[in-house]
Amino acid sequence: MIEVSREKFEELVAEALDTIPSDLAGTMSNIVVTVVDDPPEPNLLGLYTGIPLTERGDWYSAVLPDRIEIYRNPICQICDTEEDVIEEVRITVVHEIGHHFGIDDARLHELGW
């Protein structure tokens, strides 16, 4: 377990978001990414809540943004070094963004995310 301040953790999430290729990031729509200390249920490192891009249709307007939450405490609990935290944050961010694009957990795990 390693302790990472909330401020530093938010920087790591921002850095992970910066690694998303610009052509892919440019297709992301109506989404917010936040850091939350603790998940609503055990064993979650991140959570996507919203309507994936693949399910949006002509009816999609005036909808609150999709939300990706990255959970600081569980990630820190499974990591031993700051490098581990950096890697786990990146994996978690990419995994949750995958859900925004309509990719399910099984496929994301197949892809290594």
Side-chain angles (χ1 to χ4, degrees):
M1 180 176 169
I2 184 170
E3 183 64 35
V4 177
S5 72
R6 184 176 181 89
E7 181 178 297
K8 177 63 178 176
F9 195 88
E10 287 173 350
E11 289 174 15
L12 296 176
V13 170
E15 290 170 8
L17 288 166
D18 287 343
T19 68
I20 305 300
S22 59
D23 55 335
L24 188 61
T27 63
M28 294 171 62
S29 174
N30 198 30
I31 187 166
V32 63
V33 178
T34 62
V35 170
V36 177
D37 286 338
D38 296 303
E41 59 185 72
N43 303 319
L44 285 179
L45 303 180
L47 182 66
Y48 168 78
T49 306
I51 302 167
L53 295 174
T54 55
E55 295 178 17
R56 296 179 184 179
D58 294 339
W59 56 268
Y60 186 85
S61 68
V63 176
L64 290 174
D66 290 6
R67 184 175 174 95
I68 290 176
E69 294 180 342
I70 307 298
Y71 301 116
R72 183 175 68 93
N73 288 333
I75 289 176
C76 291
Q77 287 173 354
I78 65 168
C79 295
D80 294 321
T81 66
E82 187 169 317
E83 291 76 26
D84 292 344
V85 174
I86 292 167
E87 181 65 15
E88 194 58 53
V89 164
R90 184 174 187 293
I91 289 168
T92 304
V93 166
V94 170
H95 180 98
E96 301 309 328
I97 288 173
H99 290 313
H100 178 65
F101 285 98
I103 304 171
D104 66 17
D105 278 327
R107 182 66 178 137
L108 285 166
H109 289 291
E110 286 176 16
L111 296 170
W113 301 107

